[in-house]
Amino acid sequence: MKQYKKNYELKNAAKDILDGKYGGAVLIFFLSALISGIVRLFISTNLNITANTAYFSTGSQNTSTAISFVFDIIMLAANIVLAVMNAGITLYFLNAACGQRCTMKDLFYGFRTESSKTLTIASALVLCQTFSQWPAQYFLQNYFVDTDVKWIYYAAAIQFICWLIFIPISLGIKLSFFLMLDFPQYSGQEVLSHCWHVMKGQRTRLFKLELSFLPLIILCILSFGIGFLWLNPYMQMTYTCFFLDLMNPKETA
């Protein structure tokens, strides 16, 4: 009979592994956030300039809206490309957990090796997250236009429905980058399919693990986000321990 570790055991294991390695773990997340922030800031700045220029030139709100839609697509494509770095972060923490050499170069692993496979998995993860957020954002935008409170109720209702749909899907493919590294012979689609199969019966356990970080996430928000520099490596290593435990559970009589 398979026996999996409890949440507190996974967290304790993550702390033990990170002991003496926290500096590098924080740095790789910081570099990822810095690169992502610069790219997103560049796109957002150009969006505002282009949309304002178009509005003052044509006086048409529809033109400005169309430009915003194009930039939304550009931002989505950029988020997918940036998500490729998560494969490198996964490699870094997996190497650290297994006692292997890990360096900052790991961050760009997904761009150097199996880039098409990594891009396929990154697309699935980002699209899942995006589709769970876009409908609610649409209703909120309507609220900012006419300040009718009904749009807030609509946004809350549609967000709840999206969570019911997409949270199980997200949990089912969350460990895809781990499996990609563990099964290099698989294609991107095969990795996603295998991850979905592996996570059957395990999504609730992973969801509870994620919820256990909620108090720390709130504290990090109250610290104006600075605390995430320490929390993100801790969470990532805990997920790494979850994956290793999932693939090699203890056998009991």
Side-chain angles (χ1 to χ4, degrees):
M1 180 180 178
K2 295 181 180 180
Q3 182 178 351
Y4 298 103
K5 292 181 180 178
K6 299 185 183 301
N7 287 346
Y8 75 88
E9 293 177 310
L10 295 172
K11 289 182 172 182
N12 288 338
K15 292 177 183 177
D16 291 340
I17 295 171
L18 286 172
D19 186 27
K21 302 176 182 177
Y22 232 111
V26 170
L27 181 57
I28 196 169
F29 265 104
F30 176 77
L31 288 175
S32 174
L34 180 63
I35 294 170
S36 299
I38 291 173
V39 171
R40 288 167 183 152
L41 179 61
F42 176 80
I43 295 174
S44 297
T45 301
N46 280 276
L47 164 62
N48 291 330
I49 295 174
T50 305
N52 289 335
T53 301
Y55 179 74
F56 287 121
S57 299
T58 65
S60 172
Q61 184 63 43
N62 290 335
T63 301
S64 180
T65 301
I67 292 174
S68 296
F69 177 76
V70 171
F71 272 88
D72 283 342
I73 299 300
I74 294 174
M75 183 66 82
L76 175 60
N79 285 335
I80 291 174
V81 174
L82 291 171
V84 171
M85 287 190 292
N86 290 331
I89 292 174
T90 301
L91 175 64
Y92 181 94
F93 280 81
L94 198 56
N95 282 339
C98 296
Q100 302 296 319
R101 183 171 179 268
C102 46
T103 69
M104 291 302 109
K105 292 181 180 179
D106 291 339
L107 180 62
F108 306 104
Y109 169 84
F111 297 102
R112 301 193 311 266
T113 308
E114 302 286 0
S115 57
S116 60
K117 180 195 302 187
T118 310
L119 197 60
T120 297
I121 297 171
S123 298
L125 293 170
V126 171
L127 288 174
C128 182
Q129 181 181 19
T130 300
F131 288 146
S132 70
Q133 297 174 348
W134 264 5
Q137 290 176 354
Y138 168 78
F139 287 112
L140 285 176
Q141 287 174 353
N142 288 333
Y143 169 75
F144 293 134
V145 171
D146 59 21
T147 66
D148 190 336
V149 73
K150 72 178 182 182
W151 294 114
I152 294 181
Y153 296 136
Y154 291 158
I158 196 66
Q159 185 63 76
F160 180 72
I161 294 172
C162 286
W163 280 342
L164 291 179
I165 296 173
F166 288 102
I167 285 179
I169 297 175
S170 176
L171 292 169
I173 62 176
K174 186 178 181 68
L175 303 181
S176 293
F177 281 134
F178 289 101
L179 284 166
M180 181 191 79
L181 297 171
D182 212 21
F183 297 92
Q185 71 275 19
Y186 286 0
S187 66
Q189 294 89 339
E190 288 173 335
V191 168
L192 291 167
S193 177
H194 185 51
C195 187
W196 185 264
H197 175 74
V198 167
M199 286 302 296
K200 284 185 178 179
Q202 300 296 325
R203 283 178 290 188
T204 300
R205 196 164 72 94
L206 180 57
F207 184 59
K208 289 179 179 179
L209 179 61
E210 291 187 332
L211 287 180
S212 70
F213 288 109
L214 189 57
L216 291 176
I217 291 174
I218 294 174
L219 288 176
C220 288
I221 293 173
L222 294 176
S223 71
F224 301 99
I226 297 175
F228 283 109
L229 284 175
W230 287 267
L231 179 59
N232 283 333
Y234 176 37
M235 292 177 63
Q236 181 67 27
M237 186 57 77
T238 304
Y239 295 140
T240 302
C241 292
F242 178 94
F243 170 75
L244 293 173
D245 181 56
L246 179 64
M247 302 306 289
N248 297 285
K250 292 182 179 179
E251 296 288 343
T252 59

